[in-house]
Amino acid sequence: MSYTIETAPHGALISLSATSREEVVRDLVASLLEATYGTGASTAAATGQMVPIQAAGGDDGALLSNLAAGTLRAIGETDGKLLPPRWLAFDEKRVTAHLPVVLPKGETRPLSLRQPLTVEQAAPGFVARFSLENSQAH
């Protein structure tokens, strides 16, 4: 795990450090799921349903910001609990992630992206830090 989550009453601050594009995408989604649902992996079996999330952007910051917004939207709209992606696909300036669904959904902390992500390419990979704020429940 290459991310940390600092929680506060108003939201959360997430820091990512990844060595590859795949790792930064997986850790971005995993950190958003953990910040929303809390810690601990689900012991329930997946329903077989998958929620696809697709994002595009002209640069890494825009791409990951759009992916974060799509993930947070899917968390709010899905009847079950989402798990980290089992499958990722990359294209030029585009990524698709498929997140398995388990039941029940349980408690969630409604969060939204405070501002677009800033991503820096640093040897040997990527570094990002972003803020989430509490939003109204859906």
Side-chain angles (χ1 to χ4, degrees):
M1 175 172 63
S2 61
Y3 62 86
T4 60
I5 301 172
E6 297 174 37
T7 59
H10 68 278
L13 180 65
I14 298 177
S15 299
L16 294 169
S17 175
T19 57
S20 68
R21 188 169 304 281
E22 181 174 338
E23 184 180 15
V24 76
V25 167
R26 284 188 188 281
D27 285 353
L28 172 65
V29 174
S31 67
L32 293 169
L33 297 174
E34 185 176 327
T36 303
Y37 298 128
T39 58
S42 176
T43 58
T47 63
Q49 178 185 1
M50 301 285 262
V51 173
I53 300 169
Q54 189 174 71
D59 60 25
D60 291 330
L63 175 72
L64 294 175
S65 293
N66 292 336
L67 181 64
T71 301
L72 292 168
R73 186 173 39 258
I75 290 168
E77 295 173 354
T78 303
D79 290 334
K81 180 178 180 179
L82 298 175
L83 300 177
R86 289 190 185 163
W87 184 82
L88 296 173
F90 294 91
D91 198 356
E92 189 172 334
K93 300 181 183 182
R94 179 179 307 274
V95 64
T96 303
H98 287 87
L99 285 61
V101 178
V102 297
L103 297 174
K105 184 173 190 163
E107 293 293 318
T108 62
R109 181 179 186 191
L111 296 168
S112 60
L113 195 58
R114 179 175 281 171
Q115 60 195 18
L117 273 74
T118 302
V119 180
E120 299 174 18
Q121 290 199 326
F126 304 88
V127 174
R129 188 171 169 93
F130 59 98
S131 296
L132 302 170
E133 60 187 359
N134 291 337
S135 59
Q136 294 182 8
H138 295 97

